[in-house]
């Protein structure tokens, strides 16, 4: 009854996140717990050498996701959803979305998954003395300049996917700090003035200046506009949703992951593991030097964060699980529920040898900058005398999903002496309790916690940021999360097991040596 009344009175907050394979909406009540949800499955496409999503798919997916959320509300509470207290939009960070003065998209959306900007990223990193990853928006822009692409002179606005959706729904060209820090370096809550000035020499021939192309940066808790009449119709074509709902700053999935795991304070960190995998560590102090494998971003409220981002995580596991499902069905075993199959195979991995029995897997569907690849080839290899069984195979796939992350994290812990009090995991890889969590603890030699709420992911995280609009004047973001949202919720921690640690180290020796196999596969298997 409390939840129903909150919905009727508009005392709820709605978070919508556009992830790599799923668009999800979560509606939370006054106690910050989810009361309804909706979703829509989608997938990127590879067109003309570019990983992309069409904007038509963005809107059809958002509308279906919202429709399913509204349907969930009606089924549970018998009421039609006409308004909420506040809204937040989150999406995959980085990438390249550019528009002309008329709001026309100039080139297809180039997502974080593209690794075609190595030359631009390298030159910018040297110019700024600051690591610019290939997937950052400014790297894509400068690569387009270097390539003399015809659309560059026409650019009037550049943003991220979350920033684009927010713009269309509210009319506001703004962006939250974490998402903005994946476009261009942030300093004291704004795009770094020194680096903007340095970039000016690179864009001198063009009729625009970079600051004019970028969205306005906003800190968590700042108002970011409200739902326009046109925006309400775009999200809910039925016309039931009312205009005027306040919005929080749009954010990236990394920032919402930090919020969803209560990891915005110093010496905390989280790992988001799905199609991609990344670790976010909130720093006590700046790093001693630039590391190409480590991205410097910020929390939604502006604290410095070291980010180790890998393009590839669960995609290869998903492909193999689908294959096993087909095999079971073909053999007459009937159709197995996807969740049950994942659970069974993950749990089987716990029976495997510590080092995966001599097996080796690479989950590289796309390039991986941490290991120096601009393209990838998923592959599996073994010696004739390797201990090839299902337990070792599944353990190998799971270890592979963490291999590249381990290489990047070692830079922080071994070269920069970064210390962590807590590391929290969230995302699809952690859905089967106690498996990926245990292996991740062994890989990083740090206790890993997973909260019950972690499965709600970034959609819940951006809903919390939307709710924070009502509390920002009273308490800082870390206090809001610790005192109001997560009070008494520490999550279940798993400490590293000595045998697992030793086994993962042995696997990593094989993984790093086997990079030559991956290199040969990229050269020999042409797509």
């Amino acid at each position: 009854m409390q939840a129903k009344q909150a919905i009727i009175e508009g005392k709820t907050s709605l978070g919508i996140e556009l992830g790599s394979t799923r668009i999800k909406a979560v509606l939370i009540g006054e106690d910050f717990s989810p009361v309804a949800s909706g979703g829509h499955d989608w997938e990127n496409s590879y067109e003309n050498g570019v990983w992309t999503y069409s904007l038509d798919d963005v809107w059809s997916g958002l509308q279906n996701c919202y429709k399913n959320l509204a349907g969930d509300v009606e089924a549970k509470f018998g009421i039609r959803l006409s308004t909420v207290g506040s809204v937040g939009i989150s999406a995959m960070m980085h990438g390249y979305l550019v528009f002309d003065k008329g709001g026309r998209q100039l080139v297809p959306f180039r997502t974080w998954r593209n690794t075609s900007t190595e030359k631009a990223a390298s030159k910018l990193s040297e110019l700024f003395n600051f690591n610019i990853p290939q997937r950052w928006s400014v790297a894509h822009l400068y690569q387009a300049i270097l390539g003399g692409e015809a659309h560059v002179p026409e650019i009037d606005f550049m943003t991220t996917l979350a920033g684009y959706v927010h713009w269309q729904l509210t009319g506001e060209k703004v962006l939250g700090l974490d998402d903005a820090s994946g476009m261009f370096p942030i300093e004291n809550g704004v795009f770094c003035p020194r680096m903007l000035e340095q970039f000016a020499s690179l864009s001198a021939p063009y009729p625009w200046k970079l600051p004019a192309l970028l969205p306005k940066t906003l800190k968590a808790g700042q108002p970011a506009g409200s739902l326009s009449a046109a925006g309400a119709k775009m999200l809910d074509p039925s016309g039931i949703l009312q205009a005027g709902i306040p919005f929080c700053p749009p954010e990236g999935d990394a920032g919402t992951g930090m919020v969803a795991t209560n990891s915005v304070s110093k010496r905390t960190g989280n790992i988001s593991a799905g199609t991609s995998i990344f670790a976010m560590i909130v720093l006590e102090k700046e790093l001693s030097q630039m590391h190409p494998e480590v991205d410097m971003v910020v929390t939604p409220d502006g604290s410095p964060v070291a980010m180790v981002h890998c393009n590839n995580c669960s995609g290869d596991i998903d492909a193999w699980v689908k294959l096993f499902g087909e095999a079971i069905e073909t053999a007459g075993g009937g159709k197995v529920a996807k969740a049950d199959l994942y659970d069974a195979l993950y749990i089987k991995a716990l029976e495997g040898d510590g080092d995966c029995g001599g097996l080796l897997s690479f989950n590289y569907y796309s390039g991986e900058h941490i290991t120096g690849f601009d393209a990838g080839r998923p592959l599996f290899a073994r010696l004739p005398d390797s201990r090839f069984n299902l337990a070792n195979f599944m353990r190998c796939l799971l270890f592979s999903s963490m291999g590249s992350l381990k290489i990047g994290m070692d830079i922080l812990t071994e070269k920069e002496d970064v210390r962590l009090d807590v590391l929290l995991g969230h995302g699809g890889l952690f859905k089967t309790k106690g498996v990926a969590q245990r292996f991740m603890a062994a890989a990083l030699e740090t206790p890993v916690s997973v909260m019950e709420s972690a499965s709600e992911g970034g959609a819940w995280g951006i809903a919390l940021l939307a709710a924070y609009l009502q509390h920002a004047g009273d308490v800082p973001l870390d206090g809001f999360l610790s005192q109001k949202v997560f009070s008494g919720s520490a999550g279940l921690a798993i400490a590293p097991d000595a045998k697992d640690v030793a086994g993962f180290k042995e696997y990593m020796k094989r993984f790093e040596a086997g990079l030559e196999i991956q290199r040969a596969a990229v050269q020999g298997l042409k797509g």
Side-chain angles (χ1 to χ4, degrees):
M1 290 302 295
Q2 279 185 324
K4 181 175 181 178
Q5 196 61 32
I7 294 170
I8 292 171
E9 296 177 4
K11 294 180 178 179
T12 55
S13 294
L14 172 62
I16 303 176
E17 180 158 281
L18 295 94
S20 300
T21 59
R22 186 167 174 77
I23 303 173
K24 186 173 182 179
V26 171
L27 186 70
I28 63 174
E30 292 179 283
D31 65 350
F32 312 112
S33 297
V35 296
S37 63
H40 171 83
D41 293 331
W42 71 336
E43 188 55 79
N44 59 188
S45 57
Y46 191 64
E47 300 176 10
N48 301 316
V50 174
W51 291 103
T52 188
Y53 298 83
S54 76
L55 296 190
D56 286 343
D57 286 347
V58 168
W59 290 108
S60 62
L62 280 169
Q63 289 168 2
N64 191 47
C65 177
Y66 181 82
K67 179 182 177 181
N68 290 334
L69 169 80
D72 192 35
V73 169
E74 189 163 4
K76 286 178 176 176
F77 304 105
I79 52 178
R80 302 179 82 179
L81 187 63
S82 61
T83 190
V84 298
S86 54
V87 182
I89 301 294
S90 172
M92 299 166 278
M93 289 180 71
H94 318 116
Y96 188 63
L97 270 167
V98 288
F99 303 88
D100 65 13
K101 288 183 178 180
R104 180 177 63 93
Q105 186 183 17
L106 292 172
V107 291
F109 176 30
R110 298 170 185 176
T111 76
W112 57 269
R113 199 170 189 177
N114 292 283
T115 51
S116 55
T117 64
E118 182 179 3
K119 186 175 182 181
S122 177
K123 285 180 176 291
L124 290 174
S125 298
E126 182 179 358
L127 176 67
F128 297 157
N129 191 29
F130 185 99
N131 182 39
I132 302 296
Q134 289 194 48
R135 64 188 181 280
W136 280 23
S137 304
V138 69
H140 282 281
L141 174 63
Y142 187 42
Q143 191 65 48
I145 290 173
L146 291 175
E149 295 190 38
H151 75 275
V152 175
E154 299 180 62
I155 300 174
D156 183 69
F157 181 48
M158 178 171 70
T159 190
T160 64
L161 181 56
Y164 162 73
V165 172
H166 183 97
W167 170 40
Q168 296 301 300
L169 295 178
T170 68
E172 300 291 336
K173 295 180 177 180
V174 298
L175 203 58
L177 286 181
D178 175 65
D179 205 7
S181 68
M183 293 192 73
F184 194 89
I186 291 287
E187 182 178 87
N188 298 322
V190 297
F191 294 115
C192 177
R194 172 182 65 84
M195 297 181 199
L196 286 173
E197 185 62 34
Q198 288 173 311
F199 190 87
S201 63
L202 306 178
S203 60
Y206 297 98
W208 46 258
K209 293 190 182 299
L210 183 56
L213 305 188
L214 295 169
K216 178 183 177 182
T217 57
L218 294 177
K219 185 178 179 179
Q222 289 186 279
S226 58
L227 184 65
S228 67
K233 197 74 173 176
M234 291 177 75
L235 190 58
D236 179 23
S238 72
I240 297 172
L241 183 64
Q242 299 173 9
I245 302 168
F247 272 61
C248 71
E251 268 297 0
D253 52 359
T256 57
M258 285 188 276
V259 171
T261 55
N262 191 21
S263 304
V264 300
S265 302
K266 292 178 175 60
R267 292 177 66 102
T268 64
N270 78 92
I271 295 173
S272 175
T275 304
S276 64
I277 185 169
F278 53 84
M280 309 285 290
I281 312 300
V282 187
L283 300 174
E284 295 179 279
K285 56 182 174 53
E286 297 289 340
L287 300 182
S288 64
Q289 64 185 85
M290 179 183 74
H291 299 280
E293 302 88 351
V294 179
D295 311 343
M296 291 304 301
V297 293
V298 299
T299 63
D301 59 347
S303 297
V305 173
M307 180 181 192
V308 178
H309 183 284
C310 306
N311 287 344
N312 304 280
C313 181
S314 63
D316 200 36
I317 297 173
D318 296 341
W320 282 106
V321 172
K322 182 180 179 182
L323 184 71
F324 289 140
E326 289 181 13
I328 292 168
E329 194 172 349
T330 301
K335 196 171 184 66
V336 181
K338 183 191 285 188
D340 293 339
L341 184 56
Y342 271 93
D343 284 346
L345 292 170
Y346 274 45
I347 291 168
K348 188 69 177 177
L350 296 174
E351 301 174 15
D353 297 321
D355 71 339
C356 307
L359 308 184
L360 176 64
S361 170
F362 282 97
N363 62 339
Y364 287 10
Y365 271 63
S366 60
E368 197 61 79
H369 76 285
I370 283 181
T371 48
F373 288 89
D374 59 6
R377 300 290 183 268
L379 61 86
F380 169 71
R382 62 188 173 99
L383 293 168
D385 61 349
S386 295
R387 294 177 297 283
F388 186 36
N389 56 46
L390 183 59
N392 280 336
F393 182 72
M394 287 307 302
R395 192 180 185 98
C396 172
L397 293 182
L398 284 162
F399 277 22
S400 173
S401 71
M402 306 169 189
S404 300
L405 181 75
K406 167 67 172 172
I407 293 171
M409 284 294 290
D410 281 351
I411 294 170
L412 292 177
T413 57
E414 295 177 7
K415 296 182 179 180
E416 291 287 349
D417 197 31
V418 170
R419 292 290 175 261
L420 281 165
D421 292 330
V422 61
L423 191 58
L424 294 110
H426 65 110
L429 199 70
F430 296 105
K431 279 186 177 179
T432 301
K433 290 185 177 180
V435 181
Q437 182 183 0
R438 171 177 155 180
F439 293 159
M440 189 68 75
L444 303 183
E445 298 182 59
T446 302
V448 174
S449 293
V450 175
M451 296 180 180
E452 290 296 327
S453 57
S455 62
E456 298 294 346
W460 184 54
I462 190 64
L464 292 176
L465 286 172
Y468 182 56
L469 280 175
Q470 307 302 317
H471 300 269
D474 305 323
V475 63
L477 180 61
D478 60 348
F480 167 72
L481 295 175
S482 298
Q483 299 163 21
K484 296 183 180 294
V485 179
F486 292 99
S487 178
S489 302
L492 176 64
I494 292 181
D497 177 85
K499 290 183 179 179
D500 288 340
V501 171
F504 198 91
K505 286 182 176 178
E506 283 300 310
Y507 182 80
M508 283 305 297
K509 291 178 185 176
R510 192 180 315 124
F511 185 89
E512 294 192 55
L515 289 169
E516 289 305 314
I517 305 172
Q518 176 67 202
R519 214 168 299 282
V522 171
Q523 292 297 318
L525 293 173
K526 300 298 182 183

